[in-house]
């Protein structure tokens, strides 16, 4: 799928002329964001300058990217970074107002178009950690910790968080991305106000899925409608379910997983408990209920899929790099929605360009996992090369990568170790807020052993981790073997080919209210779990797991 990557390295050295276009560079990253590409996008979005003056539109695009590269500096200081390596040649130094006007003239359209050119799968399918079997693993997730200035226009767009004491904190943007888990590169992104939930924004990215992808997602994306929409794209999925959901047990598979239906969609459920033992002899247990369209237990064993689900956390690492390494946790600059859109697209362009450089570097050494490339080293090298205006490829046959790639390869991270620690909110509402999970160690500890127990469908234990709401535990949340639905299916699976009469099912299960029980059977029939043969007669919709 590497041919899907529409961005390639610029083949010729990028020279910076001593003219008004001289500040139009981004150091070593100019190789992946050449002037020809920027000019083509400016022409496409009709944001090219009408008259050539001191600040052409091309320079404005690079200036916006430089603002994202140096988030702690003001406009004129960032400009000085762009022109520092061009001296002693005379370079125009604009005022802060002129640079603000340049931003307004450009708007968000060229930065958004530039991101759409860069976005896409980055690695070859054979690169370690990129694919599971024939599918490229991708993940959805949202980031809600991007803070913006507390201005009236921003509040009108994004709103604010309130509690019993009134409005608190800064307004925040909800950023939703589709991430390639093997490289942490982005296939697409949308953002907006938090008044909409994550699935609202994720649906806008569904056209980016393909039959060659396997989607990983957490419990925020487990609704029936969203999973059906994912399946309609042809992509496979492995999604964690909310523990309060009780899927109907249609057929039990030899590995302990079972088949069920969500409307017309047939899926497989895996109930598993993971027990991790750390070097300090701490034992951490957590229950997972996973839903997947990979129905064959022979080619996709339950324990393998449970281990694969861990790859979903790579999107969290992507947000860590974007929000805390690149932005350094700072509040964005812009005081109006148009400026915020422009600023966010610029940061996403910069992030993706850095990932392109990192993937190119690790793929130059076959067998190197992209996890070993340091985002911090790539970022600092890009900053240094921007200051000295180092924009040429400067490569050799022995090392066919740019300055960023050489820096990354010189200090590859060690192979990833299995570790665990308490989950903490990076930007809490209160400095006195406690962690959400007190059962994990407060500092990172090495996992010495990991045990995966797959539970039989009829004997799945209730989910009772210490951080779960105890009211849910008292209601029996998490047990799949309870309730009239699974009791009915367990009875009917004893003779899967038989046509069952309503009254005999009710009598066998001890239900005296026939009318109420008939309503339940009608509901399960509408969900595709049962098939109505005639009035008062039913059979299982899927009688034999071999039929799948």
């Amino acid at each position: 799928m590497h041919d899907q990557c529409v961005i390639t390295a610029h083949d010729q050295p990028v020279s910076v002329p001593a003219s008004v276009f001289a500040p139009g560079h981004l150091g070593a990253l100019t190789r992946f964001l050449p002037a020809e590409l920027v000019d083509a996008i400016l022409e496409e979005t009709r944001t090219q300058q009408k008259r050539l003056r001191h600040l052409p539109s091309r320079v404005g695009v690079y200036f916006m990217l430089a603002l994202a590269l140096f988030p702690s500096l003001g406009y004129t200081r960032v400009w000085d970074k762009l022109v520092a390596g061009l001296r002693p040649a005379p370079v125009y130094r604009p005022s802060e107002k002129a640079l603000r006007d340049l931003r307004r003239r450009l708007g968000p359209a060229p930065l958004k178009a530039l991101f759409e050119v860069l976005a896409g799968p980055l690695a070859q399918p054979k690169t370690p950690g990129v694919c599971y079997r024939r599918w490229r693993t991708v993940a959805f997730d949202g980031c809600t910790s991007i803070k913006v200035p507390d201005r009236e226009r921003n509040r009108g767009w994004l709103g604010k968080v309130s509690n019993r004491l009134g409005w608190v904190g800064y307004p925040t943007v909800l950023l939703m991305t589709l991430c390639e888990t093997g490289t942490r590169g982005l296939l697409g992104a949308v953002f907006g106000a938090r008044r909409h939930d994550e699935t609202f924004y994720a649906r806008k990215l569904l056209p980016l899925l393909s039959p060659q992808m396997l989607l990983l997602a957490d419990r925020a994306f487990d609704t029936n409608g969203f999973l059906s929409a994912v399946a309609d794209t042809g992509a496979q999925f492995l999604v964690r379910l909310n523990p309060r959901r009780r899927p109907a047990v249609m057929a039990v598979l030899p590995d302990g997983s079972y088949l069920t239906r969500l409307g017309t969609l047939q899926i497989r459920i895996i109930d598993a408990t993971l027990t991790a033992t750390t070097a300090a002899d701490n034992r951490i247990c957590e229950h997972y209920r996973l839903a997947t369209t990979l129905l064959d237990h022979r080619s996709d064993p339950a324990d393998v899929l449970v281990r694969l689900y861990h790859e979903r956390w790579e999107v969290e690492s992507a947000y860590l790099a974007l929000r805390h390494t690149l932005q350094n946790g700072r509040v964005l600059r812009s005081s109006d929605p148009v400026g915020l859109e422009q600023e966010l697209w610029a940061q996403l362009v910069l992030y993706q360009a850095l990932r392109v450089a990192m993937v190119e570097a690790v793929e130059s050494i076959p067998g190197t996992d992209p996890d070993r490339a340091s985002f911090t080293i790539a970022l600092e090298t890009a900053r240094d090369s921007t200051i000295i205006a180092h924009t040429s490829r400067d490569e050799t046959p022995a090392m066919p990568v740019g300055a960023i790639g050489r820096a990354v390869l010189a200090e590859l991270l060690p192979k990833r170790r299995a570790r665990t620690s308490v989950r903490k909110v990076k930007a809490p509402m209160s400095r006195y807020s406690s962690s959400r999970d007190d059962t994990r160690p407060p500092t990172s500890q090495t996992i010495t052993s990991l045990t995966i127990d797959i539970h039989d469908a009829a004997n799945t234990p209730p989910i009772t981790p210490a951080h779960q709401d105890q009211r849910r535990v008292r209601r029996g949340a998490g047990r799949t073997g309870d309730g009239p639905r699974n009791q009915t299916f367990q009875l009917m699976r004893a003779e899967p080919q038989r046509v069952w009469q309503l009254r005999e099912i009710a009598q066998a299960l001890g239900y005296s209210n026939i009318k109420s029980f008939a309503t339940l059977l009608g509901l399960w029939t509408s969900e595709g779990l049962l098939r109505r043969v005639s009035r008062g007669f039913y059979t299982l919709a899927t009688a034999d797991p071999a039929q799948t």
Side-chain angles (χ1 to χ4, degrees), residues 410-439:
E411 298 186 61
L412 285 175
L413 300 175
K415 293 184 179 181
R416 177 173 292 180
R417 308 181 304 277
R419 295 175 295 172
T420 186
S421 66
V422 66
R423 292 194 65 192
K424 295 181 180 179
V425 178
K426 299 295 188 300
M429 298 300 297
S430 170
R431 70 182 66 184
Y432 305 107
S433 61
S434 60
S435 60
R436 296 190 303 172
D437 187 353
D438 295 331
T439 64

Side-chain angles (χ1 to χ4, degrees), residues 103-277:
R103 283 193 60 189
R104 294 191 184 100
R105 191 179 79 213
L106 281 175
L111 278 305
K112 179 180 179 182
L114 188 57
F115 173 75
E116 291 173 349
V117 171
L118 286 168
L122 300 182
Q124 298 281 358
K126 293 185 179 180
T127 300
V130 170
C131 291
Y132 167 72
R133 293 180 59 201
R134 64 177 181 273
W135 297 289
R136 185 180 294 260
T137 56
V138 298
F140 272 131
D141 202 13
C143 176
T144 59
S145 61
I146 300 177
K147 300 177 182 178
V148 307
D150 192 1
R151 300 290 187 270
E152 182 177 355
R153 283 176 290 182
N154 290 343
R155 290 195 299 267
W157 176 37
L158 301 171
K160 285 191 67 174
V161 178
S162 64
N163 64 10
R164 60 185 180 85
L165 300 178
W167 302 107
V168 295
Y170 289 94
T172 56
V173 177
L174 194 159
L175 172 65
M176 174 61 59
T177 63
L178 179 62
C179 176
E180 181 183 36
T181 61
T183 64
R184 301 172 194 164
L186 304 181
L187 281 70
V190 292
F191 50 82
R194 294 180 61 180
R195 66 177 62 95
H196 301 293
D197 62 8
E198 292 185 342
T199 57
F200 172 84
Y201 293 103
R203 284 180 179 273
K204 298 182 179 181
L205 300 177
L206 287 181
L208 300 176
L209 294 175
S210 72
Q212 290 76 40
M213 295 180 182
L214 170 61
L215 175 67
L216 310 176
D218 65 10
R219 290 169 285 190
F221 304 91
D222 72 340
T223 61
N224 292 6
F226 183 80
L227 295 181
S228 296
V230 171
D232 290 341
T233 67
Q236 307 294 329
F237 65 74
L238 178 62
V239 177
R240 189 176 181 182
L241 296 183
N242 189 302
R244 288 174 290 178
R245 300 194 66 172
R246 300 184 183 183
V249 181
M250 300 296 298
V252 180
L253 301 177
D255 63 352
S257 60
Y258 57 94
L259 302 180
T260 188
R261 281 184 178 271
L262 298 179
T264 59
L265 181 63
Q266 188 167 27
I267 63 171
R268 176 180 167 205
I269 302 295
I270 302 171
D271 274 304
T273 297
L274 276 69
T275 305
T277 304

